[in-house]
Amino acid sequence: QGHLVQSGAEVKRPGASVRVSCKASGYTFSDSYMHWVRQAPGHGLEWMGLINPSGNTGVAQNFQGRLTLTRDTSTSTAYMELSSLKSDDTAVYYCAKGGGMNGYYFDHWGQGTQVIVSS
Amino acid sequence: SYVLTQPPSVSVAPGKAATITCGGTNNKNVYWYQQKPGQAPILVIYYNSDRPSGIPERFSGSNSGNTATLTISRVEAGDEADYYCQVWDVYSDHRVFGGGTKLTVL
């Protein structure tokens, strides 16, 4: 089983950064992949990146240089920080636990965090 | 970059079967998610055809060559949702989603 609880909605100015947290329970956090996925209004799901059990990260090309993924195994919490925000970063951001040996898919999802970027 | 192609929409009458395709899978394992309005996605099929616990047997999946298929038999009004396919790109270690299919129950 797995349960993921994300931090609350954010409103940011263009150029700012946003940090979203994702607290996990019900499974061994340090042994699992954690992914981040976003969904812009009226659009589909977009994979952003992952942090693996070793703490190494992988980031989709669209977010290279702007996305930082970290985790705190002592509190079973993952963090996603996106910098240099633009209006088209307005979206719902999800954390999702990786399923399978190498986190191939997403077997549990957080409830989502709304991020609005507006001047 | 890797591209998965889904039909934007599929409509089906209650009690009939709905079929949603995902092209470009290139013999990779395929995963399917259901997302209802205002909710987070949930996993409905993994490794092409396995169902997580709690997912009705009416949901089934297959994958042949370059196209995967999600089939929902005896469709109910509660199955109305967006459905997304997803693969793991072994070369980049990235995960890729299809564009999504909106299932409408007539």
Side-chain angles (χ1 to χ4, degrees), chain B residues 16-41:
Chain B
K16 301 297 186 183
T19 299
I20 299 172
T21 58
C22 177
T25 57
N26 196 21
N27 292 309
K28 299 181 190 303
N29 285 320
V30 177
Y31 313 95
W32 290 93
Y33 304 87
Q34 176 194 68
Q35 185 182 33
K36 296 182 179 179
Q39 299 183 18

Side-chain angles (χ1 to χ4, degrees), chain A residues 34-113:
Chain A
M34 186 69 79
H35 297 269
W36 291 87
V37 175
R38 78 175 185 181
Q39 186 171 37
H43 286 75
L45 302 173
E46 181 180 20
W47 181 79
M48 300 176 68
L50 63 85
I51 186 163
N52 70 14
S54 299
N56 298 319
T57 61
V59 174
Q61 189 161 4
N62 285 353
F63 302 98
Q64 293 280 350
R66 289 206 300 142
L67 179 63
T68 302
L69 302 179
T70 57
R71 67 179 187 169
D72 182 344
T73 55
S74 69
T75 60
S76 298
T77 303
Y79 299 93
M80 183 281 297
E81 182 168 4
L82 188 62
S83 62
S84 303
L85 290 169
K86 304 166 283 188
S87 58
D88 58 5
D89 291 317
T90 293
V92 176
Y93 290 75
Y94 295 100
C95 59
K97 174 182 169 291
M101 189 169 56
N102 288 326
Y104 300 127
Y105 57 96
F106 319 107
D107 59 8
H108 293 87
W109 296 67
Q111 83 276 19
T113 296

Side-chain angles (χ1 to χ4, degrees), chain B residues 30-52:
Chain B
V30 177
Y31 313 95
W32 290 93
Y33 304 87
Q34 176 194 68
Q35 185 182 33
K36 296 182 179 179
Q39 299 183 18
I42 63 169
L43 178 71
V44 294
I45 294 288
Y46 64 109
Y47 293 130
N48 303 311
S49 59
D50 290 341
R51 275 178 293 104

